[in-house]
Every structure is written in structure tokens, then in C-alpha cells.
């Protein structure tokens, strides 16, 4: 019998991706919205602190094990920005188009266009779990000024993978899930949970 696991998100794509792999290790993944859990604040500058905060929040309000992720794009020439602020880099309201516009403008005067997507996943057995299970992954590429591709979201159309000659937005969902920072982190987490 599968145990209920609360995903500290209501993102349908994450729910599907996480649900498929985590069912193999005994979990039935449900979005926090099913339990009327509001989004947690993300006040920290480190991905791991935000993910831990979201996981504990969901576990505390549901009494069930919880999983949270925090991810973003980190640009080396910008000292790791946008980083944890990736979704709101250009401010509120959240806008992928505005975030991309700001990133391209901020990077224009730099020669180094290298960047990486980073994801950290935190699993807690209960809200006060003293030993959360943590897994992370990174996906290296470079930022290009002109967008390419129709898939993905966020910065994907500007995130070039030089070895493949494609942006993240030009990959199939299977390719992206195999290569991406989130895919790497999820596979590591599954192995740890086994």
C-alpha cells in the first residue's frame, strides 16, 4: 500500500513527474492544495533553506510526510543571480517574459554567459524531522540573447546546452526530464529513499 506524501506545490507538471518516480518507493504524491495548505514564505537566500521551510510547513499543516523543491537559474557573471529569486527576478507580478528581458539586459555587458540550473529537494518524515533527506542536481549551459524553442518555461528558451546545440526549450519532455537539474535531484532522492 502506498503512503501519502504531500508535495509542497500545486504545480501539475511537478506532481506528475514526482509521482511517477516516488510511487516506485512506496509513495502516493498529492499536491498541498488538496489539504488546503497555503504557500509557505520563501525568505532565504539559499535554495536548501527555502525547500526545507516549505517541506516543514506542508508536513506541519497536514501531519503527513512532505516533499519540497526549490530551484532556479544561477548565472556566474551575476554572482549566482537570479538564484532563489528566479521566478520573481523582474519583480511582481511574476512574468517569464520580464524575467528573461531583465536577465538578458543584466548579462549584456558580460562576456561570460555560463549559467546553470540548480534544484534541491527536501523530504521530511514529519514537521520536526531532525534528519531530512536532501538531494540536489545542477544542469550547466549558457545564456543566449535570442530565445529558441517552444517547450519548457521560465528561462528555458534562453538556456543553451552547448554539447547538444539546443536550448532547454528545444528538448522533448523526456529529454529534459532525463538531463535536467530536477530530474537529477529526483533520481538521487529516490535512491536515498530506497
Amino acid at each position: 500500500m502506498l503512503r501519502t506524501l504531500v508535495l509542497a506545490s500545486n504545480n501539475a507538471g511537478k506532481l506528475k513527474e514526482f509521482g511517477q518516480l516516488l510511487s516506485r518507493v512506496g509513495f502516493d504524491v498529492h499536491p498541498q492544495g488538496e489539504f488546503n495548505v497555503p504557500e509557505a514564505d520563501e525568505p532565504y537566500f539559499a535554495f536548501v533553506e527555502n525547500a526545507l521551510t516549505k517541506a516543514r510547513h506542508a508536513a506541519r499543516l497536514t501531519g503527513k510526510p512532505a516533499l519540497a523543491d526549490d530551484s532556479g537559474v544561477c548565472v556566474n557573471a551575476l554572482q549566482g543571480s537570479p538564484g532563489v529569486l528566479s521566478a520573481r527576478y523582474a519583480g511582481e507580478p511574476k512574468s517569464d517574459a520580464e524575467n528573461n528581458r531583465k536577465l538578458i539586459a543584466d548579462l549584456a555587458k558580460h562576456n561570460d554567459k555560463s549559467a546553470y540550473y540548480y534544484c534541491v529537494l527536501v523530504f521530511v518524515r514529519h514537521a520536526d524531522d531532525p534528519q531530512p533527506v536532501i538531494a540536489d542536481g545542477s544542469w550547466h549551459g549558457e545564456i543566449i540573447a535570442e530565445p529558441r524553442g517552444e517547450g519548457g518555461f521560465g528561462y528555458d528558451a534562453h538556456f543553451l546546452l552547448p554539447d547538444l546545440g539546443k536550448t532547454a526549450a528545444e528538448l522533448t519532455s523526456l529529454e529534459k526530464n532525463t538531463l535536467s537539474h530536477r530530474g537529477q535531484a529526483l533520481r538521487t532522492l529516490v535512491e536515498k529513499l530506497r
Side-chain angles (χ1 to χ4, degrees), residues 49-124:
E49 290 175 297
N50 286 326
L52 181 59
T53 297
K54 291 189 286 188
R56 290 197 191 284
H57 173 77
R60 185 167 289 111
L61 293 178
T62 64
K64 300 184 181 312
L67 173 67
D69 80 306
D70 199 28
S71 58
V73 69
C74 301
V75 179
N76 294 315
L78 304 178
Q79 288 80 46
S81 288
V84 297
L85 301 176
S86 290
R88 294 174 176 81
Y89 190 48
E92 293 288 354
K94 292 192 286 189
S95 164
D96 287 350
E98 291 303 315
N99 289 338
N100 280 298
R101 208 172 344 272
K102 177 172 171 45
L103 178 61
I104 298 308
D106 290 352
L107 199 51
K109 62 183 176 276
H110 297 279
N111 292 325
D112 180 6
K113 309 292 188 198
S114 64
Y116 58 95
Y117 274 119
Y118 180 77
C119 173
V120 64
L121 298 173
V122 175
F123 170 89
V124 293

Side-chain angles (χ1 to χ4, degrees), residues 130-149:
Q131 193 175 6
V133 180
I134 300 172
D136 67 348
S138 57
W139 194 23
H140 294 265
E142 58 189 55
I143 301 299
I144 58 172
E146 292 301 319
R148 289 177 20 199

